[in-house]
Amino acid sequence: MRLRAVAVTALLSLVTGCARSAPPPDTSGDRALAATVHAYVVEFLRRNPTTNTYLGGAGLDPALHDVDGALRDHSSAALAAEDQWLTATQASLTAMSPATLSHGSRIDRDVALAQIAFQLRQHQTRRYQERAVDTYVLEPFRAIDWQLQGMAATGASTYGREDEWALVERRVLAIPGFLRTAAAQLAAGAASGRVPDPRMIRRDGIGSAESTAAYFRDTLPVLAAARVSGPSREATVTRLRTASRAAAASYLAFRDTVAALYFTDRTARVLQPRFAADAYVMGEAEYDWALANNFRLTTRAATLYDEAWPVVQQTQARMIEVARAIGVARGWTLPADGGQAVRAVFDQLSKDAPKSDAEMIGWYRDAAFRLVDFARKTRLFAVPSDYRLDVVVTPPPLEASIDGASYYPDRKS
């Protein structure tokens, strides 16, 4: 026993000595990296006001408060200036040696570099700004919708301080100019052969533009009238109603521009032949680039496709297995073919459907509340005591772009 104790003591001393003699990791670059990344994030949010609102940027930096009253500048001049800034930031981050950074800082550096490269690729190679019809139509609505959701309560059923409604008004006033810039970018894309997918042209350029015009003409003024309070209420509501009408008119003008640009006439029934081809696929080369830059994968798209097929087959086999188990449990006679058996089960299950939209919303709301309650009881997630979750019908401006349901995460300023 004595020899064993001596041996263990000697081993512990050796390990402890090695640990003491090992030099501490070099983290001398962490402070400079943190300052550069913070400046990058703040400037990114300033140039992307809708994202700023969505993430509650003012909580990160008070200088971002007024950004909630703006919309992104998609003009060629603004994007050129943005690319210069991105390139300069990219150079600064690249010059920082990973050897001088802690593990977490190295991750921050790599993520920032990947995002910067992605943005530059979007602007300069893919020229996405020349065909982003969905972004152009939906961005102002999303910005204002998130803005309204984040307003402070001012009464039992009123929301928004005077300064918050002033930012909403500024943002609504910016919509006509935003859409004029969007129309110019789409025209440049059409001239150069960079066009949206025809389904996006119809769905977003025509359908969503019309429904969003109705939102600004009819819905937003009513919401403001119901929610604004305080001594300046009447003046605020009046100004916002005027701004909303101008925004609605600009959406209808944008819709007419899309019709004139891509269709045979302004009725927007028949696309011009050169715009009717499928333009949705990004292509293998771009997919490979995205795998390498966005996910740091060395796998190529073709290999990924081949490797995924066995997983698809396994999933299909599992679906058939589950469908047959359900059939046995319910006493259903299912087809011999596996795929048809799955479809038969779905057909049977679809008969257990809500009788009205109100009942469907009620089912969703009940399930959502039970999920939140489950998370609190099991402590699976740290759900704040003031966390609020509600289920509402998709607003008309988003109906064309959301298939089924969408989730807006809790936003803390």
Side-chain angles (χ1 to χ4, degrees):
M1 294 294 294
R2 174 66 179 168
L3 289 176
R4 182 178 301 174
V6 171
V8 170
T9 301
L11 180 61
L12 288 175
S13 298
L14 177 62
V15 172
T16 305
C18 290
R20 287 175 179 170
S21 62
D26 183 3
T27 60
S28 58
D30 277 13
R31 182 173 296 181
L33 186 282
T36 300
V37 168
H38 179 82
Y40 165 67
V41 171
V42 170
E43 182 63 13
F44 173 85
L45 293 176
R46 188 188 71 80
R47 292 177 181 270
N48 293 271
T50 300
T51 305
N52 181 70
T53 300
Y54 179 71
L55 296 177
L60 172 69
D61 193 310
L64 294 170
H65 175 269
D66 288 349
V67 175
D68 286 342
L71 291 170
R72 180 160 166 74
D73 187 349
H74 290 279
S75 68
S76 297
L79 292 180
E82 180 173 320
D83 287 351
Q84 289 182 348
W85 161 69
L86 287 170
T87 301
T89 305
Q90 185 181 54
S92 296
L93 291 169
T94 302
M96 296 182 182
S97 172
T100 67
L101 302 174
S102 63
H103 181 68
S105 293
R106 287 197 298 271
I107 293 174
D108 289 344
R109 174 182 177 273
D110 287 349
V111 169
L113 285 171
Q115 188 191 38
I116 289 171
F118 173 80
Q119 292 174 85
L120 292 172
R121 185 85 173 187
Q122 289 285 84
H123 298 164
Q124 299 175 0
T125 303
R126 301 193 69 206
R127 305 288 297 177
Y128 189 69
Q129 63 272 16
E130 295 182 356
R131 50 193 174 88
V133 64
D134 54 334
T135 297
Y136 294 141
V137 173
L138 295 176
E139 186 171 329
F141 168 79
R142 288 189 183 276
I144 291 166
D145 189 40
W146 286 325
Q147 209 168 352
L148 296 178
Q149 290 184 50
M151 283 184 165
T154 56
S157 59
T158 56
Y159 300 89
R161 302 183 304 269
E162 187 172 340
D163 65 303
E164 291 178 311
W165 283 107
L167 290 174
V168 172
E169 181 188 347
R170 280 176 49 193
R171 185 166 263 170
V172 175
L173 287 169
I175 290 175
F178 175 89
L179 292 177
R180 284 193 296 270
T181 297
Q185 288 285 21
L186 293 178
S192 61
R194 285 184 282 267
V195 298
D197 184 80
R199 288 159 291 193
M200 294 171 62
I201 295 173
R202 292 184 184 277
R203 182 190 67 191
D204 300 299
I206 302 299
S208 291
E210 292 173 348
S211 59
T212 307
Y215 170 83
F216 284 107
R217 184 186 63 240
D218 304 325
T219 306
L220 183 58
V222 173
L223 287 175
R227 297 181 184 183
V228 177
S229 61
S232 302
R233 177 187 178 280
E234 291 302 323
T236 299
V237 171
T238 298
R239 289 197 308 272
L240 190 54
R241 184 183 298 114
T242 301
S244 295
R245 286 174 179 166
S250 68
Y251 264 99
L252 293 179
F254 181 80
R255 179 261 181 220
D256 289 343
T257 297
V258 169
L261 191 60
Y262 301 112
F263 292 84
T264 57
D265 59 60
R266 292 182 180 274
T267 63
R269 292 191 180 94
V270 181
L271 281 163
Q272 297 179 44
R274 63 193 179 111
F275 301 131
D278 190 334
Y280 180 76
V281 177
M282 69 188 300
E284 185 175 350
E286 284 300 317
Y287 204 100
D288 284 340
W289 185 90
L291 287 174
N293 181 77
N294 302 352
F295 297 104
R296 294 296 192 261
L297 296 177
T298 57
T299 308
R300 309 283 286 185
T303 303
L304 189 65
Y305 180 88
D306 292 337
E307 292 177 348
W309 183 238
V311 179
V312 172
Q313 291 177 307
Q314 292 168 12
T315 304
Q316 290 175 335
R318 181 59 179 152
M319 290 177 66
I320 293 170
E321 180 184 340
V322 171
R324 294 206 181 281
I326 294 173
V328 170
R330 300 290 184 97
W332 297 334
T333 301
L334 301 179
D337 178 81
Q340 293 180 11
V342 172
R343 285 189 289 272
V345 168
F346 274 118
D347 289 341
Q348 289 289 342
L349 293 176
S350 67
K351 295 177 182 178
D352 183 16
K355 305 300 185 294
S356 65
D357 288 347
E359 185 178 31
M360 178 182 67
I361 294 296
W363 287 7
Y364 274 114
R365 184 176 288 116
D366 176 68
F369 289 170
R370 284 190 285 109
L371 284 171
V372 173
D373 185 58
F374 175 81
R376 284 198 172 109
K377 288 179 178 178
T378 61
R379 298 184 179 181
L380 185 62
F381 303 105
V383 182
S385 59
D386 61 344
Y387 178 77
R388 295 182 304 166
L389 178 65
D390 198 7
V391 178
V392 297
V393 177
T394 300
L398 296 181
E399 286 178 352
S401 63
I402 295 179
D403 295 325
S406 180
Y407 173 65
Y408 284 0
D410 183 39
R411 183 175 70 84
K412 298 292 185 183
S413 296

